[in-house]
Amino acid sequence: MKLQLNGEPLDTPPVTLADLLDAQGFGGAKIATAVNGSFVPATARAARILNDGDQIEVLAPMQGG
Amino acid sequence: MRDFYGTSLSGGLMLGTAQYPSPAILADAFRRSGAGVATVSLRRESGQDRAGQDFWQMIRDLGVHVLPNTAGCHSVKEAVTTAHMAREVFDTKWIKLEVIGEEDTLQPDVFGLVEAARILSEDGFQVFPYTTEDLVVADRLLQAGCEVLMPWGAPIGSGLGLNNIFGLRAMRAHFPDVPLVIDAGLGLPSQAARAMELGFDAVLLNTAVAKAGDPAMMAEAFATAIRAGRLAFAADPMEPRDMAAPSTPVIGKAFLQ
C-alpha cells in the first residue's frame, strides 16, 4: 500500500504505525506522531493500523523562537 | 516577582533557540544571559539523520525550562495538534501558542488564538498566547483559561522594538495581576529595558541575539538591560513634566550681582 511519510511517498506492506516507525529507523527516538492530521500518542502507535493513502507526520525537537 | 503558572523565573528573559551560528554559541548565549526559558519547536524528523535527537540533548543540558511553540500554525486544528505533539515530546504542559493570521506581519489570528487557547486550557495545557496588545482579546484569552499574556512588541524578527507603547501601557494597567511578557519584535537591549520599565514581567526574544555579530555578548546585554528596567520599575520612576524644575535648592543661593 502507498503512504506519505513526512510528505514523501512510501510503498509498504500493511503495517501498524509502531512497525513503520521501527522499519524507518525511528526506534527509541524522541518523536511525536500524527496520522491524517490527528495526533497519535506513543501509547496508541502499536494499535494504529495504517491504511492505503494515510499521511503520517513524524516530528522531533527543533530550534524555535 | 510574578509566577508563570507557578514557576518563578529569576532573569526575566525567555530566549529562542533558532538561527544561531552554532550550537556552542547558542549554549554560550544561554550561559551569559542566565535566561530561564528556552523556546523550541517541532519539525519533521528523518529516520536516518535524527537531527532532532542531538538538539534535544543539548537543550536538556542547558538546564532551563522548555517552552515549545506552535510556530507556523495557521489554523486552530493545526495549533492544537502541534501542542499535543509538543506535550508528548517535551514532557511539559507549557505551550507558546501561535496561530498566525497574516503572512507579511506574522500577526496573530486572535479569533483562532482564543479558540485554541480555550481548547488547550480545558485539556490541561498552560498556555502562553502570542497575542496583540488588544485589551478585548486579552480579556477573552484570560476567560479562556490563560494565566499569562504575551503581546507582541513588533512583528516577529523585525527588531523594531515596542511599536505601541500606549497599548502596552494600557495592558499593564488593565491587568495588574497577570504576568505579561513582551514576545517578538525586539532588536536592542534598550527596548527590553523600556518594556521592563513599563512593568512587564519578562521579554521573549530570539533574532536580536541569534543574528547579532556576537550573540553571547548581546544575550548578556539584554539580560543587563532587563535587570535595569526591572529595578527602575520597582523604584517608582518620577513623573515627566513639560517645563524645567531646578534640582538645586534656590534657598540660600548667594547674591553676587
Side-chain angles (χ1 to χ4, degrees):
Chain A
M1 64 180 183
K2 293 187 189 318
L3 303 171
Q4 293 265 330
L5 176 61
N6 282 350
E8 299 290 330
L10 185 69
D11 215 339
T12 169
V15 285
T16 65
L17 178 56
D19 292 337
L20 179 78
L21 294 172
D22 274 344
Q24 291 295 314
F26 290 108
K30 196 83 173 164
I31 51 166
T33 51
V35 176
N36 300 328
S38 295
F39 172 56
V40 180
T43 50
R45 287 176 198 154
R48 183 64 164 85
I49 295 162
L50 298 174
N51 299 307
D52 193 51
D54 277 351
Q55 299 194 16
I56 297 124
E57 294 288 330
V58 180
L59 305 187
M62 203 57 65
Q63 292 87 344
Chain B
M1 193 186 311
R2 291 181 184 84
D3 285 350
F4 301 86
Y5 293 103
T7 297
S8 178
L9 300 174
S10 56
L13 176 59
M14 303 182 178
L15 195 53
T17 56
Q19 308 180 80
Y20 289 82
S22 73
I25 292 174
L26 186 162
D28 207 19
F30 272 82
R31 268 192 297 274
R32 281 182 68 174
S33 69
V37 173
T39 55
V40 293
S41 192
L42 281 177
R43 287 294 179 264
R44 285 171 167 175
E45 178 80 316
S46 149
Q48 282 74 47
D49 301 342
R50 298 173 62 141
Q53 310 307 307
D54 293 341
F55 173 72
W56 177 230
Q57 187 54 50
M58 190 195 62
I59 293 301
R60 287 172 61 117
D61 291 345
L62 293 176
V64 297
H65 297 280
V66 173
L67 176 59
N69 68 25
T70 63
C73 291
H74 287 70
S75 71
V76 172
K77 180 175 188 296
E78 207 180 355
V80 168
T81 302
T82 301
H84 277 103
M85 297 174 88
R87 181 164 67 177
E88 184 174 87
V89 165
F90 295 109
D91 196 24
T92 175
K93 290 190 247 181
W94 282 13
I95 190 76
K96 174 182 163 180
L97 183 61
E98 291 186 27
V99 183
I100 300 300
E102 214 285 327
E103 204 47 56
D104 290 329
T105 60
L106 297 180
Q107 183 173 344
D109 167 3
V110 294
F111 306 97
L113 182 69
V114 170
E115 188 182 343
R118 182 185 53 75
I119 292 168
L120 291 172
S121 295
E122 286 175 357
D123 203 7
F125 283 86
Q126 295 174 331
V127 179
F128 293 68
Y130 161 65
T131 184
T132 64
E133 64 284 306
D134 189 300
L135 296 180
V136 181
V137 173
D139 204 40
R140 297 288 166 86
L141 286 168
L142 297 174
Q143 288 173 25
C146 297
E147 295 179 17
V148 173
L149 297 172
M150 301 210 297
W152 63 349
I156 293 171
S158 69
L160 290 171
L162 305 178
N163 268 357
N164 183 357
I165 292 275
F166 166 79
L168 295 170
R169 192 189 289 129
M171 196 174 207
R172 177 72 286 169
H174 273 69
F175 306 105
D177 301 322
V178 177
L180 299 179
V181 183
I182 293 290
D183 177 11
L186 299 187
L188 287 168
S190 53
Q191 297 157 352
R194 183 79 173 107
M196 301 304 286
E197 286 164 2
L198 289 175
F200 280 77
D201 300 288
V203 303
L204 195 167
L205 55 97
N206 190 156
T207 311
V209 165
K211 290 295 186 187
D214 186 334
M217 190 186 294
M218 187 60 84
E220 184 180 339
F222 267 99
T224 307
I226 288 166
R227 176 172 152 72
R230 171 177 278 162
L231 283 173
F233 178 72
D236 190 13
M238 65 168 279
E239 287 296 323
R241 47 180 291 158
D242 288 334
M243 303 300 286
S247 51
T248 303
V250 179
I251 297 169
K253 179 183 174 298
F255 185 79
L256 302 172
Q257 288 176 347

